[in-house]
Amino acid sequence: MSWKFSSLTRWPTAAKPLAAALGTAVLGLALVACSEKAAAPAPAASPQADASAPVRGGQLVVALRAEPAQLNPLVDQGSGAHSVRPALDSLVWDNGDGSYAPWLAERWEVSDDASTYVFHLRKDVKFHDGTPLNAAAVKANFDYVLDPANKSTGSTAKLKPVATVVDEFTLSVKLATPESSFLTLIAAPYFGILSKAQLENDPKSLATRLIGTGPFKFDNWVKGQSLTYVRNDDYNWAPAKFHRGAAYVDSIKYVFLPEDQTRYNALTTKEAHVVDYIPPEYAKQTKASADYQTQEFLLPGVGYSLHLNTRRPPFDQREIRQALLHGLNRAEIVASATFGAYPAQEYLASTTPDFAKDLKNKISYDPELANGLLDKAGWSQRDADGYRVKDGRRLSSFVPYADNDQLAQRTLEQVQIDARKLGFEIKLQPVTDLPERLYNGNYGLLGSFQSEATGMQLWRLYGSDNISDGSTVGSNASFLRIPELDEVLAKARASGKSEDRAKYYAQAQEILPEHAPSVPLYSRARLVAIQKNVHGVAWDNAWPQPYLFDAWIAQP
């Protein structure tokens, strides 16, 4: 059976004001409903739900595409987010339908301007090292990302959160700038709560092992091969939609298989129980097969895009950026590179909350317009190879990509072919230092993929205050300042009402094609295949990925 998850609803408006009893730190806050709701992507029934009673025991083997460079999610939200969740719980659970359920926090309040959040914590939770979860422990996590010495690149760090202990189990968090998406951000595994003792007494160890409150404890990391967790038998605080008590399986072993063919072979040979990111060339046959269960999610956020470095010629000229935006046949590039498995997207994926469904300024494929723009910019002559030239220089740029990323290579080869038709030379550079390129600006174009279930991604990737300035590390890979965009993004992030937020994010999506800081290509459909004897695999909506707490393995 194949599940296709294709939509997320908008966040609800904050409810009535809470009667103040917590002092000045929480005055004027509005109580946010946190009652349990069914997660939107989960179907009413599934092959897993039809199984008999869960069986305890066994090791669940999960094949992943990428090994993290290090484990500490508070430093790099992309590096380990797909492999640290077993050990880390979050303050809230993202239901995927615009609502949130209690997890480590029993309830919370949000100020009308979305700048202050107050969390009331459970009183029965302990970290794997035996220390208690309390307000001081959670504050230590916010303090860690706030400290510039830790060089956190995560979304939470961008908000400069200042945490204050109200009482032993109550914490107030004040953001430097309002953020209506904050609950989604802290629901993700890259802000899973870590032990205060580890953060303060042994921070260097965070790179190689994690001490959290999760249903599994860190066991062993064999670099280049696998990462293993063992069950936390004391666990009894999962979100309400999951079973009570400890996990079913004894352990989880992630194996790192970056080669698409090798990862797919792990499915067919049954060497892995769960295989994440089924390669697009095998998507159709895997979903059609009766041998596997599949779950598919069209990832929200900003999909795979080519960010154009405006600090380097020729992308310092708007006409050049617009020419590439309209001169590449994005639909054909995506269809060819992904074997038809992924859709081309606008500046946000259609599954992102606040995606503008009635978008008027859509990206059109118009080679006549593109060629006219290049002529207008002064690149009207061509050399013997057909490339445009001006003042003896060829219209040329370069794009680095990870040397083991086959999908990126296929995509960029198609981009290169299309660009050549325009007379634009794009050179491909396979590299091993791709993550560092964002920070040192050593690229002309940079392909990146950012999945996050919030329209805040537009601010992270295109906001002026996310441009690296030498003292801070930014995620605005085009280095482009767009004042009118900054204005509407600020309004969106401070909007307490979902309809206001949607209006402002829609305006942002209308503005972006005019400035063309990047060329959006595709939304990634994350296809997960599961062996038929595995049951209870759920979905973590905040950072879309399989959630394995309920998983169990049926006996042959």
Side-chain angles (χ1 to χ4, degrees), residues 304-308 398-400 434 437-438 443-448 477:
Y304 188 78
S305 303
L306 295 178
H307 298 273
L308 311 180
F398 68 101
V399 54
L434 190 64
R437 296 291 181 117
L438 171 61
Y443 56 87
L445 307 91
L446 184 71
S448 75

Side-chain angles (χ1 to χ4, degrees), residues 408-462:
Q409 180 178 343
R410 288 199 304 268
T411 302
L412 296 173
E413 286 172 348
Q414 295 299 318
V415 168
Q416 185 182 55
I417 291 170
D418 255 33
R420 179 162 189 164
K421 296 175 185 176
L422 296 171
F424 199 135
E425 179 185 52
I426 294 181
K427 300 175 182 177
L428 275 54
Q429 292 184 353
V431 299
T432 58
D433 64 341
L434 190 64
E436 289 79 10
R437 296 291 181 117
L438 171 61
Y439 309 130
N440 61 32
N442 187 14
Y443 56 87
L445 307 91
L446 184 71
S448 75
F449 173 78
Q450 297 282 335
S451 177
E452 199 164 69
T454 163
M456 178 199 177
Q457 283 288 66
L458 295 179
W459 171 72
R460 286 205 69 206
L461 295 181
Y462 304 113

